[in-house]
Amino acid sequence: KVKALGKNSYMFFKKEMTEKLKKHIEIERILREAITENGFKLLYQPQVCTYTGKIVGFEALLRLKNHSISPAVFIPTLEENGMIIEVGRWVTKEIINQIALWRNNGVDVKSIAINFSAKQLDDSNYITFLENELKKKNVESKYIEIEITESIFLDKKEETITFLNKLRRLGIKIALDDFGTGYSSLSYLTFLPVDKMKLDKSLCDKFLEMENIAIMDNIISLAHSLNLEVLAEGIEDIEQYNRLKVGGCNYIQGYLFSKPVEVTEVEKIYNTVYLEKKLP
Ligand code: C2E
Ligand code: MG
Ligand code: MG
Ligand code: MG
């Protein structure tokens, strides 16, 4: 089959593959090194209540300390090779340690959201691990929110529901991330044990740009009627914010308020109230 393409295209194919493979191997090496050399860090992005203008919590977002490789690239790699399980535990532990430190300094961050990959369901002791870390640091479960995406239900529906119910029984909130991408289906929402819906940036941009606002309003109303709170992600301008507020959206996360910030910045901004006049 390869021969039929001719020698040149075979060589081109081979060269391209080699480049891709080299890059992939290099990223894996960087990630493996980051695990052993403490090469990961977390940034924190505030989530703002549209009614009070207060920060109600932060989402923790993983970064490599010494490389500018995007999470959009390295998270899928971590998922493919299973390293996300170890890294996911590191993220969880780091957040709990940090919450304890903040609390000791009188910094009330209220809630930190952790991104949880479908692959991490393979970590069968994750919940026990999480519970133990909370106990060790004397941190209450109300500080933790777990973000999942709908893809987690694709092949492991029952397992996922059991997992989420366990977390909720512990007092941990669940957010459905990236709503409006991929498999989004409103019917999911009726049986998923979740507390919050995060509207993806692409959805917010599309509907507000097209002035197809009725659909957005209806998604928000539907979520509310199912007792879900709604957060809009990736909000960059004030017009979007104002319209989402009118539509009843509970929370906003986006560059309009703040990019994800370094851990040392959190204690400087956690008390900010984004009043109408003070909006950037
Ligand atoms: P996500 O969970 O949907 O996170 C939101 C993404 O949107 C973040 O990208 C954030 O920096 C970006 N964002 C927030 N506001 C704005 C805005 O106003 N404009 C624009 N253009 N972007 C905005 P980031 O940090 O690159 O993370 C990408 C994805 O990587 C995350 O998407 C999440 O799925 C995954 N990820 C990040 N950290 C972790 C982690 O610790 N564990 C796991 N499993 N996944 C993670
Ligand atoms: Mg997220
Ligand atoms: Mg998202
Ligand atoms: Mg995402």
Side-chain angles (χ1 to χ4, degrees), residues 17 44 75 80 99 131 139 182 197-198 200 219 247 278:
M17 283 306 284
Y44 296 88
I75 296 283
E80 278 163 36
I99 293 171
E131 266 190 287
V139 170
M197 181 203 265
K198 295 189 78 176
D200 194 69
I219 291 175
K278 260 179 35 185

Side-chain angles (χ1 to χ4, degrees), residues 46-214:
Q47 304 178 325
V48 176
C49 174
T50 51
Y51 304 108
T52 63
K54 288 181 180 170
I55 294 176
V56 293
F58 294 82
E59 177 176 9
L61 294 156
L62 191 62
R63 295 290 184 272
L64 284 160
K65 277 184 195 165
N66 305 317
H67 302 270
S68 56
I69 307 167
S70 152
V73 172
F74 74 72
I75 296 283
T77 307
L78 289 173
E79 289 170 345
E80 278 163 36
N81 60 27
M83 287 197 279
I84 193 68
I85 290 181
E86 193 173 348
V87 175
R89 284 192 176 213
W90 179 84
V91 167
T92 303
K93 189 178 172 139
E94 179 73 10
I95 287 169
I96 293 169
N97 291 347
Q98 197 54 60
I99 293 171
L101 286 173
W102 279 323
R103 209 194 31 200
N104 289 342
N105 295 330
V107 178
D108 184 10
V109 292
K110 297 200 176 61
S111 160
I112 304 291
I114 305 178
N115 287 286
F116 188 88
S117 293
K119 183 80 187 172
Q120 288 176 264
L121 279 182
D122 294 345
D123 187 0
S124 53
N125 287 321
Y126 178 79
I127 294 184
T128 311
F129 168 80
L130 173 63
E131 266 190 287
N132 285 338
E133 292 304 318
L134 288 170
K135 270 191 210 128
K136 264 197 245 169
K137 293 288 166 176
N138 203 16
V139 170
E140 293 162 82
S141 55
K142 66 169 186 192
Y143 284 104
I144 306 293
E145 185 168 286
I146 299 279
E147 294 192 6
I148 48 129
T149 61
E150 287 153 300
S151 65
I152 200 170
F153 297 99
L154 281 186
D155 42 70
K156 291 177 174 167
K157 194 171 132 187
E158 295 310 319
E159 194 183 330
T160 302
I161 290 175
T162 308
F163 173 78
L164 296 182
N165 280 329
K166 270 191 207 159
L167 287 172
R168 288 178 97 194
R169 249 179 272 128
L170 291 175
I172 290 165
K173 277 181 249 77
I174 312 294
L176 185 62
D177 204 355
D178 302 345
F179 188 84
T181 61
Y183 319 95
S184 281
S185 145
L186 293 171
S187 68
Y188 273 124
L189 296 174
T190 58
F191 64 81
L192 291 188
V194 298
D195 305 284
K196 190 190 277 181
M197 181 203 265
K198 295 189 78 176
L199 305 174
D200 194 69
K201 174 172 175 49
S202 59
L203 187 81
C204 298
D205 288 346
K206 193 160 58 190
F207 284 134
L208 295 184
E209 259 172 32
M210 284 160 52
E211 288 168 76
N212 201 352
I213 201 76

Side-chain angles (χ1 to χ4, degrees), residues 29-40 65-66 90:
R29 188 193 63 74
I30 289 168
L31 292 171
R32 204 160 281 123
E33 184 182 87
I35 290 176
T36 54
E37 308 286 317
N38 192 26
F40 288 107
K65 277 184 195 165
N66 305 317
W90 179 84

